[in-house]
Amino acid sequence: MMTTAVETRTSHCCFCSMQCGMDVVPDDSEAGITIKPSKTFPVATGRLCQKGLYSLGHVVHPDRLQTPLGRRARSDAWQPASWEESLSRIAGDIRRIQAEHGKDAVSVYGGGSLTNEVCYLLGKFARVALGTKYIDYNGRYCMSSAAAASNKAFGIDRGMTMPLSEIPHAKYIILAGTNIAECQPTMMPYLMEAKKKGAVIVTIDPRTTMTSKAADIHVGLQPGFDSVFVNGLLHVIVNERLYDGAFVHERTHGFNEVAEAVKEFTPARVRELTGVLEEVTRGIARGFAKADTGIVLTARGLEQQVNGVENTLNYINLALLTGKIGRKGCGYGAVTGQANGQGGREHGQKADQLPGYRLIENPADREHVAAVWGIDPAELPGKGVSAYEMLVKAAEGEIKAMIVLGSNPLVSSPNNAVVRRALERLELLVVVDLFETETARYADWLLPGTSFLEAEGTLTNLEGRVFHRGQALAPPWQCREDYRLISDLSEALGRGRYFRYDGPEAVFEEMCRATAGGKADYSGLSYGRLKAEQGVFWPCPAPEHAGTPQLFLDRFAHADGRAVMHGITPKRPAEPIDSEYPLILTTGRLANHYLSGVQTRRTAELVKKAPAPVAEIHPAVAQRIGLTLGDKIRITSRRGSLEFAVKITEGIQRRTVFVPFHWGDQLAINQITNDALDPTSRMPEFKLCAVRIERVERVERSDA
Ligand SMILES: Nc1nc2c(c(=O)[nH]1)N[C@H]1C(S)=C(S)[C@@H](COP(=O)(O)OP(=O)(O)OC[C@H]3O[C@@H](n4cnc5c(=O)[nH]c(N)nc54)[C@H](O)[C@@H]3O)O[C@H]1N2
Ligand SMILES: Nc1nc2c(c(=O)[nH]1)N[C@H]1C(S)=C(S)[C@@H](COP(=O)(O)OP(=O)(O)OC[C@H]3O[C@@H](n4cnc5c(=O)[nH]c(N)nc54)[C@H](O)[C@@H]3O)O[C@H]1N2
Ligand code: SF4
Ligand SMILES: [Mo]
């Protein structure tokens, strides 16, 4: 593929939520450009991890979709088609399905790697062009438990309540279920700077990870026991009166409820339940509470569970009880995952939300957004259901059509058998992507979108910093920017007059108006400002407002200005271990691959480093099943069996098996994960299901 940059342009990495800045520099390589770390963008100045450095790999890959592709039957080969023909036939099918089965028979499945503009437009497209209530997105699998917990505790959901620049000022840092060294690698220098200044770092994870290697104390917890352990910490803090009485009294509710919930969780009891030594529980509780400043960060380890919201609330209790929030060197953060995992959840892709975190069931919110969109509020549908529940509705035949833009749900959703049934049963599946993903193999239409280098827009990083990403390259071949494609499809559906924009900037301006007065208020932002200021932290309710790097300096976002602590009674996972399934499968990430692997499995430099998934087990388990060198293991859950190569490591909790989820087909671990959902956030329990493992003897190959 020949690229077209003629001068150095700036961009931002397409992968994780750090959103490191890049320079796209023309050179005489085959691609015509090379990617270098930005020397000016403030988040990770001068740094990119290996995924960022090699991100050009997938952009110039020969598998890139070049034209729209369609087929009459799923068993047929793909046929190239013009945009005009594709969009008019898709629109025709949508109209027919809606005429027969109602508007809600059509659904939209979005993603968190898309720009704010595209996320916003997808939400508007579902409600205004399709008139369906069924829209949700992959961030449901990612940030929904953290979002629900932050809303309950603080009254607002911005992943990190403070900018990254506060980390070096913290004296005690608790990292729970977050593997920053592999998942947000360029955040490590902030932690190391804190450490250099004497900060204590604690990791809480069933595995010793690259992150825990940088920690002072590592707590190797069995998956599912975070709330038990945190109750132990809270018990010590309450019992020894180490909490910040003034802060608790003036700025929070719920102290008595927490004190009551943690009463029985003495360090001795915690040891009985978790194996964590009493000295460790006491030491961390005292250390954190007595430190002048401190930060608690959580991520998917404890959030992707049926008790994910409660687990997160309990870690938030730690920060609130000790008054470590809303001041220098302090804060709580749920470390957001995807490139635009933050902005992606603010602008109306979620089943119950409208732009700016407005609620689709709230009459005043409906009225505000309908006025911006130029429609009658009565035309707006109500709330739909979560991502996985949409797939279940498709499997059951209630949802008949789905447009998937920026996600690969067949690989990334739990309990794949249901998802496969859903995709098979859909009368119309349209996938907009850069590649023919595993999901796209079930599609009727496959439309070529643009890569991160080829589309302009804004994103919001894990700190809540909104920034502008320029277009570094023109869209190649017939690839079309997502925002344009959504407008064009709306036009084909006869709703074009609501979707006419000169470019992404015009979408952004409308979006900012839609967010005005909402919780995620962007109304003071403009492309000009974002470029000049290298990003601005929301909320930013007026052009003269400086933005809000540090939240909660004097009040929380609940009506009375106070935060709410919740007493948590630890609950069991959906699938506790038993004699038939005595081990716990947990799943997660590797440094060299990204999510369902569509992009990174097409990047030779990354595949070289991690060619295939390897299951991690404890030596005691290996011994029990008689594993010898070169054997594989078979992992069996209630949903099926899979075989993996194996790594034996002392670094994993002894009842735990870990498998990364970046591969498809026979290597997709989500074939056997559990689809139980958190009752509030509807987050699947990716981090915890009961399994057994067996030895699969090495087969000696002879070439004869
Ligand atoms: N290299 C890379 N980076 C990424 C991504 C990627 O795919 N690859 N994805 C991005 C995205 S979208 C996200 S959401 C983030 C995810 O970032 P993380 O949440 O940090 O990543 P995970 O590996 O899913 O899980 C983190 C840790 O949780 C641990 N864990 C499992 N069960 C439990 C438990 O019960 N309690 C506790 N305390 N810990 C537990 C796991 O052992 C694992 O080390 O990363 C982002 N960055
Ligand atoms: N077992 C297990 N499963 C998990 C998790 C886990 O920890 N364990 N984690 C969950 C989490 S946190 C997440 S975030 C999900 C994510 O899982 P997915 O939603 O499947 O995420 P991706 O693999 O990034 O898929 C994004 C797709 O969009 C395409 N794409 C990228 N950029 C663009 C663009 O600008 N436009 C268009 N049109 N397409 C684009 C990519 O090529 C890719 O095919 O997985 C979840 N699944
Ligand atoms: S993957 Fe994350 S840390 Fe690595 S370069 Fe991209 S944005 Fe930066
Ligand atoms: Mo994620």
Side-chain angles (χ1 to χ4, degrees):
M1 184 175 98
M2 278 310 290
T3 47
T4 50
V6 289
E7 59 198 51
T8 297
R9 305 275 176 88
T10 59
S11 188
H12 290 267
C13 175
C14 54
F15 296 118
C16 88
S17 52
M18 286 294 288
Q19 284 306 290
C20 305
M22 320 176 135
D23 289 338
V24 183
V25 186
D27 67 1
D28 49 15
S29 67
E30 202 184 328
I33 47 169
T34 184
I35 283 182
K36 301 205 163 132
S38 161
K39 295 199 185 68
T40 52
F41 192 67
V43 175
T45 315
R47 293 190 292 272
L48 288 173
C49 78
Q50 49 221 344
K51 287 189 303 302
L53 276 175
Y54 296 124
S55 55
L56 200 52
H58 77 272
V59 173
V60 299
H61 196 278
D63 288 355
R64 277 284 299 269
L65 300 171
Q66 302 190 7
T67 65
L69 299 171
R71 56 187 171 194
R72 301 258 168 207
R74 302 237 170 110
S75 51
D76 292 352
W78 289 113
Q79 297 295 330
S82 69
W83 275 104
E84 208 183 350
E85 183 198 352
S86 319
L87 295 178
S88 97
R89 282 180 48 200
I90 292 168
D93 283 346
I94 289 174
R95 279 206 218 92
R96 176 184 54 76
I97 290 169
Q98 289 192 317
E100 272 173 46
H101 305 284
K103 295 206 160 164
D104 293 333
V106 179
S107 61
V108 178
Y109 194 111
S113 51
L114 309 168
T115 60
N116 288 320
E117 289 78 354
V118 174
C119 296
Y120 165 78
L121 269 192
L122 266 188
K124 180 177 174 185
F125 171 79
R127 278 67 175 243
V128 177
L130 297 174
T132 180
K133 67 178 175 190
Y134 289 129
I135 174 168
D136 211 61
Y137 80 119
N138 68 6
R140 182 68 70 167
Y141 296 160
C142 184
M143 299 311 297
S144 61
S145 287
S150 282
N151 279 323
K152 279 173 183 253
F154 308 132
I156 196 170
D157 159 40
R158 198 184 83 184
M160 289 180 73
T161 64
M162 69 295 174
L164 289 167
S165 55
E166 290 300 318
I167 292 176
H169 303 292
K171 293 289 174 216
Y172 208 106
I173 301 174
I174 295 181
L175 305 174
T178 172
N179 184 6
I180 289 169
E182 296 199 62
C183 296
Q184 291 82 15
T186 58
M187 201 200 291
M188 285 309 280
Y190 290 92
L191 292 166
M192 298 325 287
E193 203 184 324
K195 194 165 162 159
K196 216 161 66 192
K197 290 182 171 171
V200 178
I201 299 182
V202 176
T203 51
I204 302 164
D205 194 303
R207 304 183 303 139
T208 55
T209 60
M210 304 259 282
T211 313
S212 62
K213 288 185 184 142
D216 301 282
I217 304 174
H218 173 67
V219 181
L221 204 62
Q222 178 171 322
F225 279 85
D226 286 86
S227 280
V228 171
F229 176 63
V230 176
N231 273 358
L233 300 179
L234 297 169
H235 174 95
V236 174
I237 294 171
V238 171
N239 232 40
E240 301 184 7
R241 299 189 187 284
L242 301 175
Y243 51 89
D244 181 338
F247 185 92
V248 166
H249 179 71
E250 286 155 28
R251 300 201 54 188
T252 70
H253 295 292
F255 177 81
N256 291 339
E257 201 197 312
V258 171
E260 182 60 31
V262 305
K263 215 159 65 190
E264 310 293 321
F265 289 84
T266 58
R269 176 91 182 109
V270 169
R271 181 183 181 164
E272 275 167 34
L273 294 168
T274 65
V276 179
L277 299 177
E278 289 153 65
E279 295 78 356
V280 172
T281 304
R282 261 193 218 106
I284 296 172
R286 290 174 185 162
F288 184 71
K290 290 181 182 171
D292 291 338
T293 54
I295 283 177
V296 180
L297 299 179
T298 66
R300 305 312 83 74
L302 55 108
E303 297 164 13
Q304 290 173 325
Q305 302 193 14
V306 292
N307 304 311
V309 177
E310 296 197 340
N311 291 340
T312 313
L313 280 169
N314 226 13
Y315 279 104
I316 292 176
N317 285 339
L318 264 181
L320 289 172
L321 194 59
T322 58
K324 289 195 169 48
I325 194 158
R327 62 184 172 89
K328 187 106 202 117
C330 292
Y332 161 77
V335 183
T336 296
Q338 300 179 85
N340 197 26
Q342 180 67 52
R345 67 186 192 262
E346 298 163 2
H347 300 302
Q349 281 191 91
K350 225 171 165 177
D352 60 341
Q353 289 181 2
L354 291 168
Y357 280 141
R358 285 195 152 87
L359 296 176
I360 203 162
E361 306 256 280
N362 174 311
D365 286 351
R366 292 168 70 85
E367 210 164 293
H368 174 88
V369 174
V372 175
W373 289 351
I375 59 169
D376 183 337
E379 278 181 58
L380 283 173
K383 71 172 178 193
V385 297
S386 73
Y388 185 72
E389 292 166 296
M390 285 204 309
L391 294 164
V392 170
K393 284 190 182 294
E396 288 166 351
E398 184 183 333
I399 288 177
K400 309 272 183 200
M402 189 174 284
I403 299 171
V404 177
L405 196 152
S407 181
N408 185 15
L410 182 56
V411 176
S412 53
S413 305
N415 193 8
N416 283 176
V418 171
V419 185
R420 189 167 283 116
R421 206 152 65 234
L423 300 179
E424 278 168 358
R425 193 149 180 205
L426 286 168
E427 279 180 37
L428 174 67
L429 174 61
V430 180
V431 172
V432 188
D433 207 290
L434 315 180
F435 299 101
E436 182 180 4
T437 62
E438 285 78 4
T439 306
R441 288 194 213 136
Y442 293 81
D444 305 288
W445 290 96
L446 186 43
L447 306 178
T450 40
S451 79
F452 71 111
L453 292 176
E454 299 149 4
E456 181 185 20
T458 65
L459 296 93
T460 307
N461 83 343
L462 79 176
E463 306 166 286
R465 182 196 302 262
V466 190
F467 63 90
H468 175 261
R469 185 186 76 193
Q471 184 182 37
L473 307 174
W477 309 295
Q478 301 295 308
C479 298
R480 196 166 276 194
E481 293 135 282
D482 296 320
Y483 93 91
R484 247 187 86 195
L485 180 156
I486 297 167
S487 299
D488 294 346
L489 184 55
S490 305
E491 203 75 59
L493 285 162
R495 302 289 277 175
R497 68 194 159 101
Y498 299 104
F499 293 87
R500 287 182 194 136
Y501 303 97
D502 288 342
E505 186 166 5
V507 182
F508 186 75
E509 284 164 4
E510 182 186 288
M511 182 188 98
C512 289
R513 276 188 284 125
T515 68
K519 282 189 171 159
D521 193 328
Y522 280 39
S523 60
L525 302 179
S526 62
Y527 271 24
R529 250 194 102 172
L530 297 183
K531 286 183 205 167
E533 298 174 39
Q534 303 248 50
V536 178
F537 289 78
W538 72 261
C540 181
E544 54 288 348
H545 190 286
T548 317
Q550 176 83 288
L551 292 175
F552 316 140
L553 289 173
D554 18 67
R555 64 187 320 273
F556 291 93
H558 286 301
D560 65 359
R562 285 170 178 250
V564 183
M565 297 191 283
H566 295 75
I568 301 301
T569 304
K571 300 200 182 80
R572 285 151 70 86
E575 220 176 57
I577 50 178
D578 55 24
S579 55
E580 206 184 341
Y581 297 98
L583 298 174
I584 301 158
L585 171 68
T586 193
T587 61
R589 293 158 168 81
L590 304 175
N592 289 295
H593 283 286
Y594 189 69
L595 299 179
S596 77
V598 174
Q599 291 153 293
T600 50
R601 282 187 273 124
R602 287 185 172 84
T603 307
E605 293 86 348
L606 299 174
V607 171
K608 260 190 262 174
K609 292 173 189 247
V614 175
E616 293 176 19
I617 61 170
H618 192 271
V621 176
Q623 197 182 16
R624 199 170 338 117
I625 61 172
L627 206 69
T628 59
L629 199 66
D631 291 344
K632 288 188 160 191
I633 57 169
R634 181 177 305 115
I635 308 180
T636 303
S637 80
R638 290 187 171 84
R639 289 153 295 279
S641 291
L642 298 172
E643 288 179 15
F644 289 99
V646 61
K647 173 180 157 189
I648 302 169
T649 166
E650 295 273 357
I652 192 161
Q653 194 275 338
R654 30 178 77 225
R655 289 207 184 99
T656 310
V657 183
F658 171 83
V659 180
F661 80 104
H662 308 296
W663 283 267
D665 300 320
Q666 274 324 296
L667 296 175
I669 192 65
N670 274 327
Q671 295 173 95
I672 64 170
T673 50
N674 192 359
D675 57 5
L677 306 178
D678 179 287
T680 308
S681 65
R682 318 308 280 161
M683 166 72 87
E685 190 149 68
F686 289 119
K687 286 295 187 269
L688 206 46
C689 78
V691 294
R692 64 167 175 267
I693 70 170
E694 295 147 297
R695 168 180 178 223
V696 180
E697 217 172 315
R698 181 161 94 129
V699 184
E700 293 293 343
R701 280 184 177 273
S702 92
D703 292 322

